[in-house]
Amino acid sequence: MSVHNDRIPRAFLRRSEMLKNVHAWMILLLVGAALVCGPVVAAQQQPDFSKVQIKVTKVSGNIYMLEGQGGNIAASVGEDGIVIVDDQFAPLAEKIQAALKELKITDKPVRFVINTHYHGDHTGGNVPFSNAGSTLIAQDNVRKRLESGGTAGNGGSIKMENKPAEKAALPIITFEHDVTVHLNGEDIRALHFPSGHTDGDSIIFFPKNNVVHMGDDFVRIPGHGALSNLDDVRAFTKMLKETSAAVQKALNDHKTLDQMKQEKILTPWAKWKGDFVNEDAFIETLYNSLTGHKGEFVKHN
Ligand SMILES: [Zn+2]
């Protein structure tokens, strides 16, 4: 789910401010959050990968979206080869490769994989892709989290444990703030937005094609998985602002966390809830954020 970090709402608002200046961006929504956002969760509800089909959708120009299991993949496919953003799970790597080949645009390989963040449903394919010769790129903290493993959550009921990843899964090019991959006639730019869904989130821009991949900083529920537009991001932002304000109001009224849950203060926004982050968990996330309570599981570094 999109909420593993106590500072999400405010961080996201800054991002959306930036996005207001951009017209007609297509947003690649990240899927799977409700079921598979961390290796522990994934392990408990391990899907049958042999049954997963990769669906390819043309987004714009030479940019495609691949849906399978886990976070959606963005692919720039062209004469210079292929760049993908995120790589789902290892057992799907061959199917992903086959789906890209099936486009019959290029015989060249996946030259670069950019990870939006370290979660297993976005980096699970790192080993097979790097073994096949792809270069892995991510923000500094993505490599750190993959290398060290650790626990994360919302400071309360949501806790996830990640085991240290093997060497082949680690990005070999990392950056602090941003990096640009110049391929297929496009300046594909990964930009770090700290304090988001994790501490290593990047948003990937395909400026020529007006496409942006937001990783798990933006997850639309219900209906995650679909391509979205700026209005969808605005609606999501509005929900974050309103739910934050509702919890802040309850805090101002000296309500306890339990009271807020009992009174179901986020019921007006119930349509946004998911299986993984339910109403109570989201109240808790906002409560911890607004009270500065980080909890033992939130701080990564
Ligand atoms: Zn995630």
Side-chain angles (χ1 to χ4, degrees):
M1 180 53 206
S2 61
V3 223
H4 304 174
N5 185 297
D6 62 336
R7 289 171 291 182
I8 282 174
R10 275 168 282 178
F12 190 90
L13 299 188
R14 282 202 300 278
R15 260 162 247 156
S16 67
E17 288 303 312
M18 170 203 69
L19 285 168
K20 276 180 188 165
N21 300 319
V22 186
H23 297 288
W25 286 97
M26 298 297 288
I27 312 292
L28 287 168
L29 269 189
L30 269 288
V31 187
L35 292 176
V36 282
C37 215
V40 169
V41 179
Q44 286 163 356
Q45 305 177 21
Q46 193 77 274
D48 181 352
F49 289 115
S50 69
K51 295 207 171 92
V52 175
Q53 309 246 342
I54 305 296
K55 182 184 163 203
V56 181
T57 306
K58 182 169 177 163
V59 179
S60 170
N62 65 318
I63 307 298
Y64 295 83
M65 176 173 80
L66 279 66
E67 298 168 83
Q69 186 79 43
N72 286 346
I73 294 170
S76 164
V77 186
E79 58 180 13
D80 299 331
I82 300 172
V83 183
I84 61 172
V85 178
D86 289 343
D87 53 24
Q88 300 197 341
F89 294 99
L92 300 176
E94 276 184 29
K95 289 184 187 179
I96 293 164
Q97 297 269 24
L100 292 165
K101 211 171 191 141
E102 191 73 6
L103 291 169
K104 297 193 183 344
I105 294 170
T106 180
D107 282 334
K108 292 185 178 159
V110 174
R111 294 176 62 181
F112 297 98
V113 176
I114 305 172
N115 293 139
T116 58
H117 64 296
Y118 76 89
H119 288 152
D121 51 332
H122 300 259
T123 59
N126 277 11
V127 171
F129 275 100
S130 70
N131 285 343
S134 307
T135 300
L136 308 177
I137 304 175
Q139 205 273 338
D140 295 338
N141 292 334
V142 174
R143 184 183 160 97
K144 266 193 223 166
R145 303 296 153 237
L146 285 171
E147 195 168 27
S148 67
T151 47
N154 72 342
S157 58
I158 299 177
K159 295 165 195 166
M160 284 174 300
E161 197 174 324
N162 300 286
K163 293 202 167 68
E166 61 184 285
K167 191 180 164 196
L170 304 179
I172 63 164
I173 295 179
T174 65
F175 57 91
E176 183 181 356
H177 182 257
D178 66 281
V179 71
T180 306
V181 177
H182 305 271
L183 223 68
N184 296 333
E186 187 151 46
D187 303 324
I188 303 164
R189 188 157 184 241
L191 187 57
H192 179 220
F193 287 82
S195 305
H197 173 67
T198 67
D199 62 0
D201 297 274
S202 290
I203 292 179
I204 319 301
F205 293 85
F206 301 87
K208 194 178 80 177
N209 285 294
N210 260 6
V211 174
V212 58
H213 189 312
M214 297 184 70
D216 275 357
D217 275 336
F218 172 49
V219 177
R220 194 171 59 171
I221 297 173
H224 51 69
L227 273 173
S228 298
N229 59 28
L230 201 48
D231 282 344
D232 297 318
V233 180
R234 287 194 180 110
F236 185 72
T237 305
K238 185 166 174 279
M239 177 275 290
L240 291 177
K241 281 182 177 171
E242 289 173 351
T243 50
S244 289
V247 173
Q248 184 61 57
K249 183 178 178 303
L251 279 169
N252 294 346
D253 293 342
H254 306 290
K255 287 184 180 161
T256 65
L257 177 58
D258 282 343
Q259 283 174 318
M260 293 181 204
K261 289 179 182 173
Q262 276 160 19
E263 292 175 19
K264 298 187 179 303
I265 62 169
L266 296 188
T267 294
W269 298 274
K271 70 168 185 170
W272 293 90
K273 74 182 175 191
D275 295 335
F276 186 62
V277 177
N278 60 25
E279 201 175 315
D280 282 355
F282 197 53
I283 290 173
E284 183 181 60
T285 301
L286 293 170
Y287 178 93
N288 288 343
S289 172
L290 293 167
T291 57
H293 170 76
K294 295 199 179 301
E296 63 183 303
F297 292 102
V298 166
K299 194 73 178 156
H300 281 296
N301 45 7

